Amino acid sequence: MTILDTIIEHKKEEVANRRRATPAAQLQEEPLFHRSCFSASAFLMDDTRTGIIAEFKRRSPSKGIINDKAAVTDVTRAYADHGASCISVLTDTHFFGGSTQDLLDARFNDVPLLRKDFMIDPYQVTEAKAMGADLILLIAACLSKAQVLDLSAQAVSLGMEVLLELHADEELGHICSDTRLVGINNRDLKTFIVDIDRSLAMAGQLPPETIKIAESGISSVEMVRRFRENGFHGFLMGENFMKERDPGLAFAKFAGEMNVTRLPG
């Protein structure tokens, strides 16, 4: 059993428990459930911003603790103030040390918030809307095509957008009309090796109307530039900043370097 299999099995039990504690009908009464969402697509296509989906992540199964000292309000404020196009917040507790409260605490920022979790059930989509998310992550590796269709349609019906994450060519069939944002994870889920060339080749097979997002292993402005040159508009980055003592400052420096080195026009 892979780590992804383990996470999904645990997630099924977690979702069942959360549903019993707070029924979906109760979630729909939350004030944030009725707010209008920011458009992640618009923010990512805005050339005045960095294109970075900056992530708040405390730990991961593969790396252990990354940063358990930084405050979500301080870090996400710095992300937003220095040009992040979106902010990703891990809400998985058991494996990543996140929580629903982290996303709620980040909601004061006037940029789109991505609920990053292992979404496998319609209840989680309703939950995401109730906690103030503007878009959700769907991971093709743990969902069938039918599940992607159903969960993405539900998200769009609630005014949210969907970021569909792909890892391999065989997952290209999961793309549908409600998954305009498509992320390609540069890290192989089985080996954890980062291979940018594989990602670039895979990106060439995406429908032309998709907004391409590069995920994982991005650590330099040069890498961002290479992805841009290959048609990418978004860059999901977390560990590169969160591993620093002051993630917000690390992001500010990176964003400043992007502005200096960005090609004219």
Side-chain angles (χ1 to χ4, degrees), residues 23-211:
Q26 186 174 332
L27 291 174
Q28 294 171 12
E29 296 175 359
E30 293 292 328
L32 289 173
F33 188 84
H34 303 284
R35 65 175 283 273
S36 297
C37 294
F38 292 115
S39 169
S41 296
F43 272 70
L44 287 166
M45 298 300 288
D46 182 351
D47 289 337
T48 67
R49 308 192 74 87
T50 60
I52 295 175
I53 303 175
E55 189 159 273
F56 184 85
K57 176 170 64 175
R58 292 190 173 89
R59 58 183 168 91
S60 76
S62 61
K63 297 295 180 66
I65 295 175
I66 298 170
N67 190 330
D68 60 354
K69 305 298 182 185
V72 64
T73 50
D74 294 340
V75 173
T76 60
R77 179 184 290 111
Y79 286 167
D81 287 349
H82 293 282
S85 295
C86 301
I87 296 173
S88 170
V89 180
L90 265 294
T91 58
D92 174 83
T93 301
H94 189 77
F95 296 95
F96 288 86
S99 69
T100 296
Q101 191 60 49
D102 284 341
L103 198 143
L104 289 167
D105 287 345
R107 184 56 283 167
F108 71 93
N109 294 290
D110 291 330
V111 298
L113 296 186
L114 166 68
R115 182 192 183 183
K116 191 174 184 185
D117 209 315
F118 297 86
M119 310 292 282
I120 57 172
D121 190 283
Y123 176 83
Q124 294 169 286
V125 181
T126 301
E127 198 177 39
K129 176 65 170 171
M131 66 178 70
D134 299 288
L135 67 161
I136 61 169
L137 177 73
L138 295 182
I139 303 173
C142 61
L143 297 168
S144 67
K145 295 178 184 179
Q147 285 177 303
V148 170
L149 279 171
D150 291 343
L151 294 174
S152 60
Q154 180 188 359
V156 170
S157 73
L158 293 176
M160 294 186 290
E161 289 180 286
V162 175
L163 170 57
L164 176 65
E165 179 177 301
L166 307 179
H167 296 84
D169 290 356
E170 55 265 28
E171 297 167 355
L172 290 165
H174 285 65
I175 298 171
C176 63
S177 60
D178 288 326
T179 57
R180 186 183 178 208
L181 298 170
V182 178
I184 298 179
N185 199 314
N186 305 308
R187 182 175 288 115
D188 188 295
L189 278 182
K190 297 179 181 178
T191 65
F192 289 98
I193 294 173
V194 173
D195 184 352
I196 292 178
D197 289 326
R198 180 188 62 82
S199 299
L200 293 177
M202 188 174 170
Q205 303 178 64
L206 298 180
E209 66 273 13
T210 58
I211 296 176

